[in-house]
């Protein structure tokens, strides 16, 4: 089978806690982001953007995440706060994909949101194609205004997800996938 189709057919997510370094080199990261930006984009709006979170940036946003969690859960112990602070520091690299969908005369907001989702998937495929493993997650902090403000999102922007990128010694077994007759209708 074609190598690209084989990659797409066998790709699996790996939990961020199982992703180790080294992460992508600067050249690999540029290639991944370039591929991520090559998605259907009716109207050439680029209704998405990327925030690269690595190194000290992971610790900085981790402190914001932990403080937001503490504010909402004053009963949280130090162990739980450390877990929250480390959510975006398990993999060597996290890329936040920001959806900039909005009102447009010709292009429905729905199409713009789908384009951001396509950017996430292209990012995942590109990273996996270079030998990395990924996990696309949102979790509570993707919807928390304090975290979004700290990441520099405008009030109209939304987070399509955090894509965790790293290397994995083991890839989990495939999960059950729907049988094609269950999800395909022929007209």
């Amino acid at each position: 089978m074609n190598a690209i189709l084989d990659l797409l057919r066998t790709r699996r997510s790996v939990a961020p806690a199982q992703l180790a370094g080294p992460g992508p080199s600067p050249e690999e990261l540029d290639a991944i982001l370039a591929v991520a930006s090559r998605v259907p984009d009716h109207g050439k709006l680029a209704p998405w953007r990327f925030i690269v979170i690595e190194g000290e940036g992971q610790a900085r946003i981790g402190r914001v995440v932990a403080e937001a969690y503490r504010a909402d859960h004053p009963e949280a112990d130090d162990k739980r706060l450390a877990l929250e602070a480390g959510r975006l520091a398990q993999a060597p690299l996290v890329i936040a994909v920001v959806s900039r969908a909005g009102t447009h005369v010709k292009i429905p907001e729905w199409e713009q949101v789908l384009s951001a989702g396509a950017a996430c998937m292209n990012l995942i495929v590109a990273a996996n194609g270079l030998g990395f493993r990924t996990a696309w997650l949102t979790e509570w902090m993707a919807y928390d205004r304090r975290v979004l403000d700290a990441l520099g999102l405008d009030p109209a922007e939304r987070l399509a997800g955090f894509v965790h990128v790293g290397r994995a010694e083991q890839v989990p077994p495939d999960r059950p996938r729907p049988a094609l007759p269950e999800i395909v209708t022929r007209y």
Side-chain angles (χ1 to χ4, degrees), residues 85-174:
R87 283 194 186 273
L88 297 175
Q90 294 173 320
L93 171 72
V94 177
I95 301 169
V97 180
V98 179
S99 172
R100 304 191 296 185
T103 304
H104 190 277
V105 172
K106 289 181 160 181
I107 294 49
E109 186 173 345
W110 174 241
E111 287 185 17
Q112 298 172 55
V113 171
L114 291 173
S115 185
C120 289
M121 196 63 218
N122 264 20
L123 191 158
I124 287 167
V125 171
N128 279 262
L130 289 175
F132 298 97
R133 297 297 182 178
T134 57
W136 174 6
L137 302 172
T138 50
E139 302 187 273
W140 68 268
M141 65 258 185
Y143 306 99
D144 189 282
R145 193 70 246 170
R146 296 162 294 191
V147 175
L148 300 179
D149 287 344
L151 287 170
L153 273 71
D154 292 334
E157 294 180 320
R158 295 169 59 190
L159 200 62
F162 295 105
V163 179
H164 303 252
V165 182
R167 299 185 187 275
E169 298 243 345
Q170 293 188 357
V171 177
D174 200 6

Side-chain angles (χ1 to χ4, degrees), residues 61-62 65-66 69 79-88 140-141:
I61 195 61
V65 169
Y69 190 86
K79 183 178 178 182
R80 180 57 188 250
L81 293 174
L83 180 138
E84 298 300 333
R87 283 194 186 273
L88 297 175
W140 68 268
M141 65 258 185

Side-chain angles (χ1 to χ4, degrees), residues 48-72:
W48 28 256
R49 64 186 180 90
F50 308 106
I51 301 170
V52 176
I53 305 169
E54 60 187 337
E56 176 52 33
Q58 290 172 305
R60 278 195 317 273
I61 195 61
R63 289 189 289 274
V64 172
V65 169
E67 285 305 313
Y69 190 86
R70 180 194 317 265
D72 293 346

